[in-house]
Every structure is written in C-alpha cells, then in structure tokens.
C-alpha cells in the first residue's frame, strides 16, 4: 500500500490516465472495425471513406502513446492493401 503522499497521488493519476487511455484505444478499435467491415462488404467508396476516417485516429493514438507507431503503420498498410485489391 502507498505510504507517501506522492505515491497516493500517483495511484490516483494512474487510474485517471487508464480510463482516458482505455477510451482512446476503444475509439481506435471502433474505427478499425468499421474500415474492416466496409472492406468485407466490397463497397469501395465506403471502404475508402472508412480508411480516410481511420487514419487520423490511428495517428492520434500514436501521438498520445496508446498505440505503437509500427502497429498503426502495419494496420493501415494491411487495410490499404486490401482496398487496392478490391479494385
């Protein structure tokens, strides 16, 4: 158990950050799932718009530190590849 005031404050802060970061990751996952479902449906225009909406969300996740840079690059690369194959 935390004894010092600094350690107690750190516990409170970590809990707040976990909530915020969890919401960020959830939002990113939602955008990725929308893009994947649009690709599976075969509708190219819907897939393009979903990818366009997903890219800034992934980039923001990287900037905020909740998603690793290479993970975001990999996801975007794979989905873009699938979009190109749709043509």
């Amino acid at each position: 158990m935390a004894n010092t005031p600094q350690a107690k404050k750190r516990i409170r802060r970590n809990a707040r950050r976990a909530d915020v970061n969890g919401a960020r990751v959830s939002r990113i996952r939602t955008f990725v799932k929308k893009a994947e479902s649009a690709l599976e449906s075969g509708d190219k225009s819907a897939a393009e718009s979903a990818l366009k909406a997903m890219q800034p969300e992934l980039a923001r996740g990287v900037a905020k530190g909740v998603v690793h840079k290479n993970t975001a690059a990999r996801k975007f690369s794979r989905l873009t590849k699938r979009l190109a194959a749709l043509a």
Side-chain angles (χ1 to χ4, degrees):
M1 189 62 210
N3 290 325
T4 63
Q6 178 184 5
K8 290 176 183 175
K9 181 177 181 178
R10 186 67 101 154
I11 288 169
R12 292 194 306 270
R13 203 228 31 204
N14 288 347
R16 282 196 305 269
R17 296 315 305 164
D19 290 342
V20 171
N21 289 338
R24 282 195 180 116
V25 172
S26 174
R27 181 176 165 84
I28 291 167
R29 280 196 194 122
T30 302
F31 274 88
V32 171
K33 283 178 188 172
K34 283 180 187 173
E36 286 174 343
S37 65
L39 283 166
E40 284 174 17
S41 71
D43 185 8
K44 186 168 179 165
S45 62
E48 282 176 350
S49 63
L51 270 175
K52 221 169 240 182
M54 183 198 75
Q55 187 176 15
E57 288 297 323
L58 268 176
R60 196 170 298 122
V62 170
K64 296 290 185 181
V66 294
V67 178
H68 194 275
K69 182 173 71 169
N70 291 351
T71 303
R74 184 181 66 241
K75 284 186 185 298
F76 192 69
S77 173
R78 286 178 181 173
L79 292 173
T80 305
K81 201 176 189 179
R82 281 173 60 187
L83 179 67
L86 215 67

